[in-house]
Amino acid sequence: MPAASRGEPALTWEVQDGIAVVVLDCQGQPVNTISRAVKDEFRACFETLANDASVQAVAFFSGKAENFIAGADIEEFVTLTSAAEAERLSADGQDMLEQVARLPKPVAAGIHGACLGGGFEFALACQYRVATDHPKTQIGLPEIQLGILPGAGGCQRLPRLVGARAALDMILAGKAERAAKAFRLGMVDELVPPAILRDVTLAAARRLAGGWRPKRRRQGGFVGWLLDGNPLGRRLVFRAARKQLDQRTGGHYPAPFAALETVEYGLRHGIAEGLRREAQLFGQLAVTDVSRKLVQIFFATNQLKKDPGVPNAPAPVTVKRLGIVGSGFMGSGIAGTAVAQAGVDVRMKDADLARVANGLFASRAILDDRLKRRRITKYEHARLVALLSGGDTYAGFGRAELVIEAVFEDIAVKQQVLREIESAITETSVFASNTSTIPITSIAEAAQAPERVIGMHFFSPVAKMPLLEVIPGARTAPGVVSTAVAFGRRLGKTVIVVKDSPGFWVNRILAPYANEIGHLLAEGASIETIDGMAVRFGFPVGPVTLLDEVGLDVAEKVAHVMLAAYGDRLQPTAGVAALVKAGRLGRKSGRGFYIYKGGKKRGVDPDAYELLGVHPNGGPRPAEILQRLVLGILNEAARAVGEGVVRSPRDGDIGAIFGFGFPPFRGGPLRHADDLGAARLVADLERLAERLGPRFAPCEVLQDLARRDAKFYP
Ligand code: 3H9
């Protein structure tokens, strides 16, 4: 079907003084994507330009205010049914970009906004790239994050432009870079303020039309040449990259290995062969279960970005000033993140000025880190630091639209703080409690206005952890929920709204996982085996390391809340109390189950076994260890879904992946339960319950699914 007959075309152009100014604007879409239909338009457009004698060069822009091209249309991947079909999709994309690259007239791209995946591959096929220095301009090849590889020539053109080393860094990390870094690496030729993007790109197109060609120098000087400029050096680069991938992926993610192979193959056999291999491997990857799961996560997080948290929610209040009570690790983490991400004015309060000073210092460290990583400029850093202030009174809190308390996890203390704050803030301000376990409705019993009280459970360290649980209490007003959700999103968090119940979602489903450690150790399993099996399953760290990271004192507290709420099923690991008593709080105190020195984990502390009163002498088979760890999570997750703790399996899976690193390639605990099948899960759990006790009894939700042969995701 010709593009024009489908309605408004995405590509339009006009010729000005011999330069064709082409603009891509996918009508009715928030971002430009390269779908099959857009590909057809590209082909027709570039064919016309090739044959138009009045055109000497092309300047290409996006018609979107804040987006260049977000890549190939990911929606189309979902419809692919075979590797051959996916290979054709990739080959089609390559053909389209070959047409651009071989156009007898030079093409200059003016890039503003996200230029990702197929969008950047298009830019790579152009002769010249100008990018704006705006923070919205992010450039990269994120395909690996979707379990595929850059399949429209990216694995061929990028290494030829910037060298194998830099190209592999980009492709294998799947990370988008700011324009300044892309410029430094040679991925774009010029960096300009947005106001002059059009003029500079047009001028470049004109120069190119006059026969001028940019001179590009290989990055990295002599060392760069040694490693990138000859086959021997490149072999070393590939070997090192492969070794790193082995460590990073644990063998669970095929895409980075395939991308590496494609880049290497293309450099060895030439671009035409390289493209063929690229399309072949793209085809194979696009229909793997891993890619399907990663694409589902992409769409789920996108849906969550637009979810106001409650049906028919009133518009959120925009937070400009934030009050933080408690200047410890969490309070300062929230404060620093809020300033860095949302540029809000933060006022911090604690009992004495020395503590406040420490808190402000820790918040500032988050900004310092951004400066060090060149995420912000010196001037932005100075401006943001000036937004942080604090004191030992509630002065300044009267102007805050939102106050978050991050004080000691004790209901009496939190209620006391709530009472104090209510007398310091206005009638419209929101009070949020950063609690990990205490029900919000109970905290709100001390409030004069319980409708303005809500829970915001951040994860530690706040600046790094991507999840936020927002917990409305029984009387919380809908507008307060949408305000908390919107603010969390401004902090860059993926936000799930969860039911007000002990442990909420993440700590609830983690409880059996953490508790099982004690049983396994008592049966003679070693700490290394327990952690090792979880890592083999795909967790970033094992459960024992996780407890050390969270802090054993915190873990112990949470465990007791869970025991009180849910009974013997969630009986905590007895040994943790012994370690806490001995002053071992995990990483933060230098000792927990493991020893930490100079910020690094130095192996299991043999004394820990003694304190725990256990001896590592084999224990259950490794496969059983893994089964017990994982099925505990799945069973509790199913039970919590049945109680409505999360609003949907989607929220539950995203919470587990972003909250504690449930392996993304497994899609989350509920998708994983679907993959295993409820009937099998129930049978396995029954066998474990028979041998090990009722903590493994399959929950009613799983039994019901098994009876009906149904799934969480129909
Ligand atoms: C690729 O290019 C493969 C090639 O190598 C070869 C192929 C042969 N497709 O995130 P937002 C939608 S793979 C389809 O809220 P933001 C998104 O779902 C691709 N849809 O905006 C949402 O839809 P809705 C590699 C897409 O400003 C809407 O746009 N590229 C795509 O916060 C708004 O999105 C990527 O992986 C897409 N490619 O962030 C980039 N991109 O409104 C993926 C976006 O219906 N995209 N949508 O929910 C992103 O990272 C962000 O969307 C972006 C904008 C940074 C662009």
Side-chain angles (χ1 to χ4, degrees), residues 468-529:
L468 170 68
E469 289 182 322
V470 164
I471 310 112
R475 294 172 62 186
T476 307
V480 168
V481 181
S482 56
T483 297
V485 167
F487 186 65
R489 219 166 272 148
R490 276 174 70 203
L491 301 199
K493 305 299 173 200
T494 294
V495 185
I496 57 171
V497 174
V498 300
K499 187 170 144 183
D500 188 19
S501 61
F504 313 126
W505 171 251
V506 170
N507 279 335
R508 163 94 180 260
I509 66 173
L510 265 178
Y513 179 63
N515 294 346
E516 201 56 25
I517 298 170
H519 296 286
L520 292 168
L521 289 173
E523 290 169 46
S526 71
I527 291 172
E528 290 98 332
T529 311

Side-chain angles (χ1 to χ4, degrees), residues 30-31 33 70-74 116-118 121 142-143 150-151 298 302 305-306:
V31 298
T33 56
D73 183 356
I74 302 170
L116 301 172
E121 290 175 301
E143 283 87 343
F298 170 77
N302 270 330
K305 276 193 211 166
K306 285 184 299 190

Side-chain angles (χ1 to χ4, degrees), residues 30-31 33 39 67 70-75 77 89-90 93 114 116-119 121 136 142-143 146 148-152 282 298-299 302-303 305-306:
V31 298
T33 56
K39 253 184 249 166
N67 172 263
D73 183 356
I74 302 170
E75 304 257 5
F77 299 170
L89 185 87
S90 165
L116 301 172
E121 290 175 301
K136 280 269 172 191
E143 283 87 343
L146 298 169
I148 50 172
L149 52 71
F282 178 94
F298 170 77
F299 286 120
N302 270 330
Q303 286 165 4
K305 276 193 211 166
K306 285 184 299 190

Side-chain angles (χ1 to χ4, degrees), residues 617-632:
N617 55 9
R621 283 175 302 113
E624 180 185 320
I625 293 180
L626 183 59
Q627 188 187 43
R628 285 164 60 174
L629 290 172
V630 174
L631 295 201

Side-chain angles (χ1 to χ4, degrees), residues 43-56:
R43 284 221 178 82
C45 165
F46 279 88
E47 197 176 323
T48 309
L49 297 177
N51 295 327
D52 185 340
S54 71
V55 174
Q56 290 152 28

